[in-house]
Amino acid sequence: MSRTTPAAPLNQTGPRRIRVAADSPYDVVVGRGLVERVAECLPESVCRVAVIYSDHQEATARQVGAQVEESGFRPLLVPVPTGEAAKTVAVAAACWERLGSEGFTRSDAVVSVGGGATTDLAGFVAATFLRGLTVVHVPTTLLGMVDAAVGGKTGINTDHGKNLVGAFHEPLAVLCDLDTLATLPSAELASGLAEVVKCGFVADPAILRLLETDPPAATDPASPVLRELVERAIAVKAEVVSADLREATSTGSAVGREALNYGHTMGHAIERVEQYGVRHGEAVAIGMVFVAELSRLAGRLEAPLVGRHRDVLAGVGLPTTYRAGRWPELLRAMRMDKKSRGDRLRFVILEEVARPAILEAPSPDLLEAAYQRLCSDRG
Ligand SMILES: NC(=O)c1ccc[n+]([C@@H]2O[C@H](COP(=O)([O-])OP(=O)(O)OC[C@H]3O[C@@H](n4cnc5c(N)ncnc54)[C@H](O)[C@@H]3O)[C@@H](O)[C@H]2O)c1
Ligand SMILES: [Zn+2]
């Protein structure tokens, strides 16, 4: 935690701020009622505020619009299709046109309201319009809070793949209002928890203990346990991205930002093979079990820790096994992953809790053996 704010004592009522030490440092704020406090983040120099929101989050977007208006800014509500349907060049272009026709200038701002897909699209629009407008993210999914809205990566999809076009654009602030999670379907909450579990394994054992002690509380948006999990997962991401702002290649034993890719090489392959019919977090949960098995087979991880992966993930309702008979497709998909280099597969593995490492070019036999164990769901 060297370059981020040290962990403040847990305060159940007031918001908690987690600093990201980017080129322009910013705070990720976690708390309740924050939708009513967006204007506090905006500098006085801002005049107009485009609220780019998922069209399923209209009530929240209107609350944001009303609040910024009361504070003297001029809001413009810009609905976009919910979910991945927002992450297209056509939707981005429609947003650029809207901002252009409304005469937005460099001193205006964007506020995003929605899940990770919406914050990715709105962040990309903010990054590109006039070469960069100020953006504040208000993520309304757990995945958006602990992952997508933090770290400055923005992007859209093309016909050839997800997130193929994008830009790094740090927000001015991220407001994680836990009240917005009250309406989130439980499968979406669980999907976000996969990234929380990931943060536990690669960096923060306290996350695992919280999840193991009271799994139902971890899945209850009203509980202080979920709040602490959100804060801790964000602190992990803030720490990693602060130390490795431009996703530089890992060198030596410092895994850097790549640690956040734990479970993702296989996770992305599963998403492709399933034609995006599984949630990202579900695919990553399966991917973490696979890579834990791989770590063990490579002689780097003790067997009980593989079982711990299965127990923690299953405890919050995430899948821990996968269909047999899909190995050739999965291997092909992993080779296409943008994190691989040519035919050389590269995995973030685990040596111990909070000790990630890199495994380069494991043998095909080892990989297939890990897949077989994943499918048989042995502990
Ligand atoms: N930029 C990054 O670093 C980064 C990191 C991880 C993921 N991502 C991106 O994030 C996206 C996934 O994020 P996501 O899982 O939040 O997806 P999402 O934005 O598609 O939201 C998931 C679903 O939840 C619904 N929803 C959102 N908020 C809700 C609420 N408060 N109540 C009820 N329903 C609500 C949405 O309508 C949607 O159906 C992907 O596009 C992924 O590429 C980006
Ligand atoms: Zn992820």
Side-chain angles (χ1 to χ4, degrees):
M1 297 285 141
S2 51
R3 296 180 59 189
T4 53
T5 305
L10 195 61
N11 174 349
Q12 286 309 332
T13 48
R16 156 103 189 266
R17 292 175 173 273
I18 302 153
R19 178 132 285 224
V20 182
D23 292 342
S24 304
Y26 60 93
D27 283 343
V28 182
V29 189
V30 182
R32 299 192 178 276
L34 299 177
V35 159
E36 293 293 343
R37 300 182 62 176
V38 174
E40 288 172 34
C41 304
L42 297 169
E44 276 181 20
S45 53
V46 166
C47 176
R48 310 209 59 191
V49 179
V51 183
I52 299 183
Y53 67 97
S54 146
D55 61 8
H56 286 199
Q57 299 302 310
E58 173 129 11
T60 308
R62 288 199 175 280
Q63 251 180 304
V64 171
Q67 196 261 332
V68 300
E69 189 160 27
E70 273 163 28
S71 305
F73 302 100
R74 285 171 56 209
L76 173 72
L77 292 182
V78 184
V80 295
T82 201
E84 287 298 307
K87 289 178 62 170
T88 69
V89 70
V91 173
C95 293
W96 293 324
E97 288 305 321
R98 191 79 197 277
L99 298 184
S101 68
E102 294 281 341
F104 268 60
T105 72
R106 284 298 294 275
S107 55
D108 294 326
V110 169
V111 174
S112 71
V113 177
T118 314
T119 60
D120 268 12
L121 175 271
F124 180 66
V125 169
T128 46
F129 191 76
L130 296 175
R131 296 194 187 84
L133 294 185
T134 296
V135 64
V136 172
H137 293 306
V138 182
T140 62
T141 61
L142 183 58
L143 192 88
M145 292 178 187
V146 301
D147 200 352
V150 180
K153 282 208 262 174
T154 73
I156 57 173
N157 307 325
T158 79
D159 290 346
H160 295 284
K162 278 194 47 147
N163 301 321
L164 282 187
V165 177
F168 280 96
H169 187 58
E170 303 288 351
L172 185 67
V174 181
L175 298 183
C176 302
D177 186 340
L178 298 162
D179 289 339
T180 64
L181 298 180
T183 54
L184 194 67
S186 57
E188 296 295 345
L189 192 84
S191 179
L193 278 171
E195 304 288 356
V196 176
V197 172
K198 174 193 78 180
C199 291
F201 279 111
V202 299
D204 183 0
I207 288 180
L208 301 179
R209 287 195 293 272
L210 281 167
L211 287 162
E212 287 165 337
T213 308
D214 195 351
T219 52
D220 175 3
S223 84
V225 172
L226 183 64
R227 177 183 176 140
E228 185 173 353
L229 288 168
V230 170
E231 292 172 353
R232 286 186 173 276
I234 291 170
V236 169
K237 181 148 190 192
E239 162 77 9
V240 171
V241 300
S242 297
D244 191 355
L245 277 177
R246 287 291 178 269
E247 207 169 5
T249 308
S250 306
T251 50
S253 61
V255 177
R257 190 167 180 156
E258 210 176 344
L260 299 176
N261 208 34
Y262 189 62
H264 277 62
T265 305
M266 178 56 119
H268 287 148
I270 289 171
E271 287 184 285
R272 269 177 198 257
V273 166
E274 298 293 334
Q275 297 177 335
Y276 297 95
V278 290
R279 287 183 183 79
H280 176 69
E282 292 162 356
V284 168
I286 300 167
M288 283 191 279
V289 175
F290 168 78
V291 87
E293 290 285 10
L294 181 65
S295 310
R296 192 186 68 80
L297 290 170
R300 309 273 287 267
L301 186 70
E302 300 285 341
L305 264 176
V306 184
R308 198 172 181 196
H309 279 71
R310 287 196 170 86
D311 293 346
V312 170
L313 292 165
V316 293
L318 284 162
T320 59
T321 185
Y322 192 59
R323 296 186 281 157
R326 288 285 183 280
W327 182 239
E329 294 104 296
L330 288 169
L331 187 59
R332 239 188 336 269
M334 284 198 284
R335 292 205 162 114
M336 283 161 65
D337 197 274
K338 65 181 180 222
K339 300 268 164 37
S340 332
R341 290 140 209 213
D343 255 8
R344 286 174 71 80
L345 288 176
R346 184 180 162 88
F347 292 89
V348 179
I349 59 163
L350 206 64
E351 295 183 330
E352 231 178 64
V353 173
R355 209 167 82 211
I358 298 294
L359 182 66
E360 285 249 31
S363 77
D365 289 352
L366 200 70
L367 288 167
E368 191 168 354
Y371 170 70
Q372 299 301 350
R373 292 191 63 88
L374 168 70
C375 297
S376 68
D377 201 22
R378 282 174 291 190

